[in-house]
Amino acid sequence: MTTLTQRVPSRFLPVLATVVLFVLAFGFGSARYDGFASGQVIANLFIDNAFLIVLAAGMTFVILSGGIDLSVGSVVALSTMVTASGLQAGWPVPLVVLAVLLTGSTLGLLMGLVIHHFDIQPFIVTLAGMFLARGLCFLISVESVSIKDKTFRNVATAAIELPGGVTITYNVVIALLVVAAAMYVLHRTRFGRTVYAVGGSESSALLMGLPTTRVKVGVYVISGLCSSLAGLLFSLYMLSGYGLHAVGMELDAIAAVVIGGTLLAGGVGYVLGGLVGVLVLGTIQTLISFQGTLSSWWTKIVIGVLLLVFIAVQRTMVRR
Amino acid sequence: MKNRLLWPLLALVALLLLNLAVTPSFFALRMQDGHLYGGLVDVLKNGAPTLLIALGMTLVIATRGIDLSVGAVAAIAGAVTCVHIGTSGSAATAFAGMAIALVLCAALGLWNGFLVAGLGIQPIIATLVLMTAGRGVAMLVTEGQIVTVNNTAYRQVGAGFVVLPVSILIALLVLGLVAFVTRKTALGMLIEAVGVNPEASRLAGVRSRTIIWTVYVFAAVCAGIAGLMISSNVSAADANNAGLWIEMDAILAVVIGGTSLAGGRYSLTGTLLGALIIQTLTTTVYTIGVAPEVTLVFKAVVVIAVCLLQAPKARAALSFRKVAVSS
């Protein structure tokens, strides 16, 4: 037992630090504002950030493998656009869902193939993917398209009662299922282990005979799939499709993953860290809205500062 | 060298010819009140901020870095100047405001340089911090409003004319300066040396860290000037939208121009070509009557095409390096 407690902190230290930060931020809010420490505020953290949780889960895979995916925000926008225009054209909901998920995964697959087979930096390829997805939105329509489909609206507005009078939406359930699935794949399958190996040292992984190609392309497919799923959740949340939805969301996702303790150099981190990272970002937003007098742009500054602190801490840990 | 610039050059010529086919008067230049007008002048004028930022970015990328914060820095520069000018119409206030903004930008560049060279953080992440926080800072300066000014002196920077638009002249001046300083002295070679291997160049007596600091400061100052142009052109500071995605355009310009993101070599002529291609592409999309938002699709296609054209070389270089390491 003692060996376990000695061993755990070094591996989980970054995630634990994030959890502590979350508890501190939340405790601060509870102490200062009435009604902050309620179950519904916590539930709202999940409701308002369900799509970001899914994005962060996908982004964790990419960053763990040593890459980066800048296209996720645009893929979210594209997904909302495909959803809204598909439903407007009278497609059945399952077909729309399938089309959205296929679009996202295909984009991810294409980017992964280009990155791997032509040895171009992930940064620049996913940047092109970002432009492409955003542009495709506007090809579908320059205007915002609202979603009027009944089934879709019912799912979006349905509330699930939890004990204690707290309600959540189906979005939250889906997001948590995605996190669970991501944790299973990353921590319990061969594919997941290979992701860590590739992120640690690609050439070593290759020399060990691990299927690096499959993993390097696979992480972008996963990220694309997660982005399109996040896009579905986002269209449930906004009930509209628009090419300017989710601008800059890729940065939020990256920030959440980094604050969650995942090393940007790859190889170190957990899916759960990304989830806690999202909750930290959500808590900051809630704090600022409870404060009332602070303007919303303080959110950006605080996120920037947090990002800096976590990167600096990571840096010193890596040096050691 | 020529070989590397051949494809971007052909792409630019093709784009220009396409414009000529759509609007036959595209190449026509006319003088009016001592000002030069025409399609090509428009391309240059609108491309000036991108070109400036791309110049700074070229040097940063040559040291194997990247600067994502330039768009936010540009927004801050515009915000600070406009807030300083306020309702004043005097030239002195305008110049003081611009000076304050540029000094502040240099300080932001120092900050980026400190994170990269001082703390050794990956450039993409180090500058991500300022990219995220910078827009917040710009919003803070303008208190979330779009600040409009009415100052003739300030307006000259982005919308003035000395035969050619002033913004073109500024961009070309900076291009000339950079070309002279880095190519006529050893500085350019030292920057490339740092990009190839910072540690080895340090051991060889190159002050790697100083050079890295310098390029980030230079990039931030370029971004500041570009921010002044953007804000002066519309006589307003918009913290949210000024210079939005311009860092991406600048990076594209640099990559299209044949500068490798892996660092170690750069081409200023290539960057000029790249910036022109991007601006011509945008103009082309406008003139052929496609929705301007769709430009993004064309940009994506161009990036992928250019990267794929350059890729086999990158592969060859990479496999050569692997062989060298293993032997």
Side-chain angles (χ1 to χ4, degrees), chain A residues 117-121 123-124 127-128 131-132 134-136 138 142 251 264 297-298 300 304 308 311 315 319, chain B residues 66 111 119-122 124-125 128-129 139-140 143-144 248 252 261-262 293 296-297 300 308 315 318:
Chain A
H117 287 289
F118 295 97
D119 250 340
I120 308 175
Q121 274 104 332
F123 176 79
I124 201 82
L127 182 65
F131 283 146
L132 186 67
R134 261 302 154 209
L136 288 177
F138 294 117
V142 182
L251 297 178
L264 274 151
W297 52 83
W298 274 101
K300 287 183 181 178
L308 177 71
I311 293 164
R315 188 64 212 168
R319 266 189 190 157
Chain B
I66 199 143
W111 167 254
L119 296 185
I121 299 171
Q122 282 161 284
I124 182 174
I125 307 313
L128 184 68
V129 173
M139 293 287 275
L140 202 65
E143 292 172 342
M248 303 302 173
L252 290 190
L261 277 172
E293 289 89 349
L296 293 172
V297 176
L308 288 186
R315 277 176 80 82
L318 206 70

